[in-house]
Amino acid sequence: MASKSFSEEDLSCPVCCEIFKDPLVLSCSHSVCKVCLQMFWESKESRECPVCMRRSSKERPPLNLALKNLCESFSVEKIQRSSAGSEVLCSQHDEKLKLFCLEDQQPVCLVCRDSKSHKNHNFSPINEAALDLKEEMKIKLKPLQEKLVIFKDVKLKYDQSAEEIKIQTQHTERRIKEEFQKLHQFLRDEEAARIAALREEEQQKCQMMKEKMEKMCREISSLSDTIRAVEEEMGAEDVSFLLLYHLCERLSGALIHVEKHLEILKFTVWEKMQEIIHYTPVTLNPITAHPQLVLSEDLTSVRYSDEIQKLPENPERFDLYVAVLGSEGFNSGTHCWDVDVGGNTDWRLGVMTESAGRKGAVCSRSGTWWMSYIAGKYYERSTPKPYTLLSVNRKLQKIRVTLDWDGGQLTFSDAVNNTHLLTHTHTFTERVFPYFNTYCKLSPLRILPSFLSEFYCRVSNRISML
């Protein structure tokens, strides 16, 4: 083999010091790479040997075919030695590494095994040691691979959440613009109506003044004749005074009633705006809604659907119970909201603590109080206790839920006739959220608007607590 007869130095070009590529043999018997020789001759501007400087008699030296084949074989063998693990030699003894020292955890040759540095050590064939270490590495890699799968799943959820955030932002921005467009349109209509009223009064006043002026012109003409006649008989001063007084009385009330159009303008417009503005004491939180619940655009009603929506599996979302929470939690004060259950045949209304959790079997954990309507009967429940049948002999249409957090009471009543139905008693110690649950597709659960006076009272209570 070439590696046994020649070293890499023997097969190197004297100019580039690399293994020969297309070696040319000169008349002096020295060999040089074709490219190296051409560059050397061009720089010297003469055909000299780069080794002995003897002038070459041939302008185109022949190819040293034997040397070329030898160099190619040597290069191939070198690549094979470097790529084959069994060909790696011991750095101390230049022998093949056939054993693996179990104490030093390194490959060794047969000479190393018998040396003092490895005396009384245990050895294993290198292929067996490699197999054992690969198995050990597989075991160590398994939890990392499992963690990688978890990380990829979490990243996927993050990506889905990021996409959902964009969708939510676009949807919410559209809703905000729609709501403000309604307010802008209301103000534009109100502005146009008030300007139209002003123009109408202006036209009426101008017409009235025109008629008065025409009449006045006729009277002036008549009075002028009278004045001339009277002045001849009476003193002019007293008559002029009486005529001027009479004219001033006739001009009273001729001007525009500015105060009627500008008096507390902002307040009166705002007061009228209440006709298009409705206050709902509770709105639904879409990030808590089970994927089979569909919320209305204004987040005040919820209905059940057979179709499962593709929504992010965020921690706040219910995954087993088809429920949704209110957007605002309460940890003090008294709060009330009415729910129109209508023709809904399967519903649960109440409150749920912040720590009760949204995943899995909510009913098996404490922290939820509700009233329900299932299979034509009414029940009450405080989890994890079982259902208790209520004695209600009529079909309810509107349920009023009243939370007295400080007093520790959750009361349900018939909002139509204000009849008491049920009261849960509990000493609340943490924030609770309005709870809504439905499995009925026939009719949604709809939170009814309240009077704005309740909103003012609520704001006043908040201010007084600050």
Side-chain angles (χ1 to χ4, degrees):
M1 297 293 292
S3 61
K4 298 298 183 180
S5 303
F6 300 94
S7 66
E8 186 171 343
E9 184 178 356
D10 295 331
L11 301 177
S12 298
C13 171
V15 177
C16 64
C17 298
E18 300 287 343
I19 295 177
F20 284 109
K21 294 180 180 177
D22 298 326
L24 303 178
V25 60
L26 303 176
S27 55
C28 60
S29 299
H30 291 122
S31 295
V32 185
C33 291
K34 181 178 180 180
V35 175
C36 295
L37 184 62
Q38 291 175 349
M39 293 176 64
F40 183 79
W41 282 0
E42 288 176 0
S43 63
K44 288 290 186 179
E45 297 183 354
S46 63
R47 295 194 299 271
E48 296 178 356
C49 173
V51 179
C52 63
M53 299 301 175
R54 183 181 298 178
R55 185 175 180 80
S56 175
S57 59
K58 297 180 180 179
E59 184 178 353
R60 295 182 179 179
L63 179 66
N64 191 338
L65 187 58
L67 181 58
K68 179 183 179 182
N69 294 336
L70 186 62
C71 291
E72 290 177 351
S73 299
F74 181 83
S75 298
V76 172
E77 187 176 344
K78 182 180 178 182
I79 293 173
Q80 290 176 345
R81 285 202 309 270
S82 62
S83 61
S86 60
E87 295 298 326
V88 179
L89 303 179
C90 175
S91 59
Q92 294 181 354
H93 308 108
D94 203 28
E95 294 288 336
K96 291 183 179 180
L97 300 173
K98 294 185 177 182
L99 301 174
F100 185 78
C101 179
L102 300 178
E103 276 72 16
D104 295 333
Q105 292 290 301
Q106 64 179 17
V108 296
C109 67
L110 297 176
V111 179
C112 291
R113 179 192 61 182
D114 299 329
S115 66
K116 291 182 179 181
S117 58
H118 294 279
K119 188 176 182 180
N120 298 325
H121 287 188
N122 293 318
F123 299 90
S124 174
I126 200 163
N127 58 340
E128 293 181 7
L131 184 61
D132 292 341
L133 288 176
K134 287 179 181 179
E135 291 298 324
E136 182 180 346
M137 188 62 68
K138 285 182 181 179
I139 296 174
K140 291 181 179 179
L141 280 176
K142 188 174 181 180
L144 297 178
Q145 292 170 340
E146 292 174 351
K147 186 176 291 187
L148 179 61
V149 172
I150 294 174
F151 285 171
K152 287 183 177 180
D153 290 341
V154 172
K155 182 182 180 299
L156 178 60
K157 292 179 181 178
Y158 285 168
D159 292 339
Q160 292 174 344
S161 297
E163 185 63 28
E164 181 65 20
I165 289 171
K166 291 182 181 179
I167 295 173
Q168 283 182 315
T169 301
Q170 294 172 354
H171 174 74
T172 306
E173 181 180 350
R174 178 178 60 82
R175 290 286 299 138
I176 290 173
K177 290 181 177 180
E178 289 175 356
E179 292 300 319
F180 272 94
Q181 180 62 33
K182 292 177 183 177
L183 294 175
H184 294 160
Q185 187 62 46
F186 170 83
L187 292 175
R188 285 193 293 267
D189 294 343
E190 189 66 19
E191 177 187 10
R194 288 180 174 272
I195 291 177
L198 175 62
R199 298 299 185 200
E200 183 179 357
E201 184 177 356
E202 177 193 21
Q203 186 176 6
Q204 291 174 354
K205 297 291 185 180
C206 289
Q207 181 64 29
M208 181 187 70
M209 289 302 301
K210 181 180 178 181
E211 293 174 356
K212 285 182 177 292
M213 289 176 65
E214 290 176 351
K215 183 178 180 181
M216 187 61 63
C217 288
R218 292 194 298 270
E219 290 186 0
I220 288 173
S221 177
S222 176
L223 285 173
S224 296
D225 296 337
T226 305
I227 288 171
R228 282 193 298 271
V230 171
E231 283 179 345
E232 293 177 358
E233 299 178 1
M234 299 179 63
E237 294 181 1
D238 293 338
V239 175
S240 299
F241 170 77
L242 291 174
L243 289 174
L244 289 173
Y245 178 78
H246 179 66
L247 291 175
C248 289
E249 281 189 325
R250 296 189 176 207
L251 291 175
S252 175
L255 298 180
I256 295 292
H257 291 289
V258 176
E259 75 286 352
K260 183 178 69 175
H261 298 283
L262 296 181
E263 184 179 17
I264 55 174
L265 175 62
K266 293 179 181 178
F267 179 80
T268 54
V269 172
W270 174 83
E271 194 174 33
K272 190 174 181 180
M273 192 181 293
Q274 296 182 39
E275 298 175 4
I276 65 169
I277 296 177
H278 302 285
Y279 164 65
T280 304
V282 172
T283 55
L284 304 175
N285 188 350
I287 68 172
T288 66
H290 185 277
Q292 286 182 268
L293 291 182
V294 180
L295 308 186
S296 62
E297 289 284 346
D298 60 359
L299 304 178
T300 60
S301 70
V302 54
R303 64 177 177 85
Y304 176 80
S305 172
D306 290 330
E307 182 181 354
I308 300 177
Q309 304 172 81
K310 292 183 179 179
L311 299 173
E313 296 179 4
N314 49 294
E316 301 88 350
R317 191 179 306 282
F318 287 95
D319 62 348
L320 181 60
Y321 279 74
V322 187
V324 60
L325 298 182
S327 58
E328 182 181 1
F330 310 116
N331 59 0
S332 64
T334 300
H335 309 272
C336 179
W337 56 95
D338 294 348
V339 182
D340 185 355
V341 296
N344 196 298
T345 58
D346 192 319
W347 52 261
R348 292 156 190 81
L349 302 175
V351 297
M352 179 180 184
T353 60
E354 193 168 17
S355 63
R358 320 289 163 76
K359 306 300 183 183
V362 175
C363 290
S364 64
R365 302 187 292 268
S366 61
T368 308
W369 300 264
W370 68 50
M371 176 181 175
S372 62
Y373 181 65
I374 306 171
K377 295 182 179 181
Y378 295 93
Y379 299 87
E380 62 95 0
R381 188 176 186 187
S382 173
T383 61
K385 297 178 182 179
Y387 285 93
T388 301
L389 183 65
L390 293 175
S391 178
V392 180
N393 53 12
R394 62 187 182 281
K395 181 72 167 62
L396 302 175
Q397 296 293 321
K398 298 177 181 179
I399 308 297
R400 175 165 298 157
V401 185
T402 305
L403 170 67
D404 182 1
W405 195 95
D406 299 315
Q409 290 187 335
L410 178 67
T411 302
F412 297 86
S413 57
D414 186 345
V416 176
N417 53 24
N418 202 25
T419 304
H420 176 267
L421 299 171
L422 160 70
T423 296
H424 286 289
T425 57
H426 178 78
T427 302
F428 298 106
T429 58
E430 62 175 302
R431 188 183 303 273
V432 296
F433 292 82
Y435 177 88
F436 304 84
N437 183 308
T438 178
Y439 287 88
C440 175
K441 296 183 294 183
L442 299 177
S443 178
L445 300 178
R446 188 166 62 91
I447 305 167
L448 298 175
S450 300
F451 294 108
L452 284 178
S453 58
E454 296 182 19
F455 169 72
Y456 303 146
C457 180
R458 187 173 177 184
V459 172
S460 300
N461 290 336
R462 286 188 176 181
I463 294 174
S464 64
M465 292 172 60
L466 297 177

